[in-house]
Every structure is written in structure tokens, then in C-alpha cells.
Amino acid sequence: MRRQPPPTPPGAEVLQAGGRGGTGNFLYLFRNETPPVVLKVYRYRRSRLREFLKNFSERALEGKRGATAAIRCATEKLSLDLWAREGFDVIQRIERPLPAGVTSPALWLTYYEATNLGEVLADPGHGLEAKLRLCEALGASLSRRHTRAVELQEPLLIHEHGNVKHFLVTENRLIAFDLEHGFKPGFPLVEAITRELAGVAQSLARADLTAADRFLSAFVAGYTNKNLLKQAIQQSSCGGGLAGKIRRWRERRRDSKHGKTRVMERLGKLLGA
């Protein structure tokens, strides 16, 4: 049964209209505000049963904070505030009352008229040298953030869903977004870093297969904490115990060339690890 969408607040346009069956988050853009703002309304996904099972899996089995709408909103709020406090480029959260008819969980966010990095890298209209500079800047940004995560022992400084499409390109900045999932306190930092790196590296390679090696090389050049990068590469090849072995076996069956483990191996070769 399709779920009815929430009413659109006055003065807003729908930027994202949930997902299959009327479930999923809604994003409302208030373009006439100065500056423009987005209201993100968190909702359950697919079905109540699937959300319950996903939440149980994340909390009990995967070392994550959880998947209900309320938990995802709380996780994103914590993450956005933490990243901004530590000086990392991330979409800005805004404190203001919710409009009439909209109930929690919801967050106000700054709107950026920008394209995500994945689209930029895949666009033949953008020059290769400019793309390589972005890849290097991405590596530098992740290196600084991962180093700080280790210093603070703070897994919320790791993007749980690492992918180039989760960074907006605006002027000379790469602004991270989509932080509604996160790892629990005490989650092994190198494992979390490895997962973000593997997701980002895989998405870099897939953005443009003809330029994949150059993208990865530029990314490695930017990632200045080479010791941490070596640890992550080692972790990707043999870490995670039995679950890690199963995950690597499944990845190789799905994508023998551009799977996460294979792409991390390519990073190791570029690094000389």
C-alpha cells in the first residue's frame, strides 16, 4: 500500500520526493529564502518491517547507530555539528522552528546550488586537469579528517557511505553531505576508515573508467597520511575476520575488476605498499 506523502509546506518546492511506495525522506527547497534553505524530513523506508530489521542489523550486528527515521536524524545532527566544529567542509545545519504541519524528525540545512563530485568527474565537458585537482583535494580532505578521527577516537568523523557523489563541488570546496548513518562509539577506527576509503576509491574508478588510474593516483597523492592509508589497504585485504572474508568473496564475484577490494589493491600499488 502506498503511503501518502506529507503536505508540502507553503513557499517550498519538492527537491526529493521519498522513494518506492511513498516511503523515504523528503527534501523541501525554500528557494526564496536568503540564503535558500532545505528542510529534510526523515521518514521510514520501504516498510515498517524492513526498517525494523535494518535497524536491528545495524545496531546489533554491524556496529552502527541505527536506521530508524529518528535515529538517522539524530545521527546526522550530531555528525554535521561535529564536522563543522572540527573545521571540515560539510553542509551547514540551521536552528529554526519547523513550519506548520511538519513534525520531527526533520532538520533545516543550507542549500548549495552545486553538482556532486561524481557527476563532475563523469562529465566530458570538464577538463581532465581540473578533475585531477579535485581528486587530489578529495584525498587531502579525507586524510585530514581521518587523522583527526584517530586522534579523537571518533567514528562519527568517518563517512559511513563513502562515495564521490556525497561531495558537492562549489568553487574550490568539496562539501560533504548525507551523514544520516554512522558508526557507534568504539567501532574500530581503521576498519571504518577502510570502508570509507574503499567506497570513495571504487566510485572514483567507476566515475570514468578511462581515467580511473589517474584519478586514483591523484587521490593517493593528496592523502598525506601515508601510514594510515597503508593500514587501510592492509585492512581491506585481510581484515574483518570471517565477515571480512565473506564480504571480499562476494565483492569479487560481483565485480572482479572494480570491486572495493580490487580498487584498494590498486591504491596499494600506486602507494608502493
Side-chain angles (χ1 to χ4, degrees):
M1 180 177 179
R2 184 175 179 83
R3 188 186 180 199
Q4 287 297 111
T8 301
E13 60 186 83
V14 178
L15 198 61
Q16 175 181 307
R20 186 181 303 172
T23 62
N25 299 337
F26 269 68
L27 294 180
Y28 298 105
L29 171 60
F30 293 77
R31 194 181 296 276
N32 294 328
E33 297 275 348
T34 306
V37 293
V38 169
L39 179 63
K40 184 173 183 177
V41 180
Y42 300 78
R43 307 205 310 161
Y44 71 81
R45 292 170 170 170
R46 300 295 179 88
S47 70
R48 294 289 190 186
L49 175 60
R50 291 191 66 172
E51 183 175 81
F52 171 81
L53 293 174
K54 176 64 173 173
N55 188 59
F56 173 80
S57 175
E58 286 204 5
R59 291 174 62 84
L61 305 176
E62 301 175 45
K64 299 177 186 177
R65 293 177 56 87
T68 68
I71 290 174
R72 287 185 279 112
C73 179
T75 298
E76 187 139 44
K77 181 178 179 181
L78 284 171
S79 298
L80 293 176
D81 291 351
L82 173 64
W83 285 43
R85 188 166 63 247
E86 291 296 325
F88 300 111
D89 277 334
V90 69
I91 57 170
Q92 299 296 301
R93 188 176 67 84
I94 302 168
E95 285 284 3
R96 60 188 289 181
L98 298 178
V102 176
T103 58
S104 294
L107 292 178
W108 287 103
L109 306 169
T110 300
Y111 175 70
Y112 296 89
E113 190 74 55
T115 305
N116 74 61
L117 179 57
E119 293 174 331
V120 171
L121 295 178
D123 184 356
H126 285 78
L128 178 59
E129 292 305 316
K131 293 179 182 181
L132 295 177
R133 286 194 294 272
L134 288 171
C135 293
E136 186 170 351
L138 180 64
S141 175
L142 264 65
S143 180
R144 291 193 300 272
R145 178 161 49 79
H146 292 168
T147 299
R148 187 57 175 159
V150 172
E151 291 171 351
L152 298 178
Q153 288 295 291
E154 178 52 83
L156 278 182
L157 281 174
I158 312 302
H159 203 307
E160 184 270 341
H161 190 189
N163 194 300
V164 291
K165 71 180 182 181
H166 291 147
F167 296 90
L168 296 173
V169 179
T170 171
E171 297 178 350
N172 295 319
R173 299 171 61 196
L174 293 171
I175 301 173
F177 67 99
D178 193 14
L179 302 176
E180 61 185 78
H181 289 274
F183 298 102
K184 283 183 178 180
F187 190 91
L189 263 298
V190 173
E191 174 63 24
I193 289 168
T194 301
R195 294 189 189 184
E196 181 179 5
L197 281 170
V200 167
Q202 181 187 51
S203 60
L204 276 173
R206 287 179 170 175
D208 182 347
L209 297 181
T210 62
D213 286 336
R214 297 193 66 179
F215 287 175
L216 294 174
S217 181
F219 178 80
V220 168
Y223 199 101
T224 55
N225 192 336
K226 304 303 187 189
N227 288 334
L228 187 55
L229 183 54
K230 288 178 181 178
Q231 291 180 54
I233 291 167
Q234 177 72 13
Q235 179 76 11
S236 71
S237 66
C238 59
L242 178 60
K245 291 180 180 178
I246 294 173
R247 184 171 60 251
R248 287 188 288 273
W249 175 78
R250 292 177 63 189
E251 287 172 357
R252 287 189 172 99
R253 283 179 61 87
R254 286 198 303 266
D255 189 342
S256 61
K257 186 174 182 181
H258 302 294
K260 293 178 180 178
T261 304
R262 294 296 192 198
V263 174
M264 289 295 281
E265 290 172 356
R266 291 163 73 179
L267 288 188
K269 292 177 180 179
L270 290 167
L271 188 62

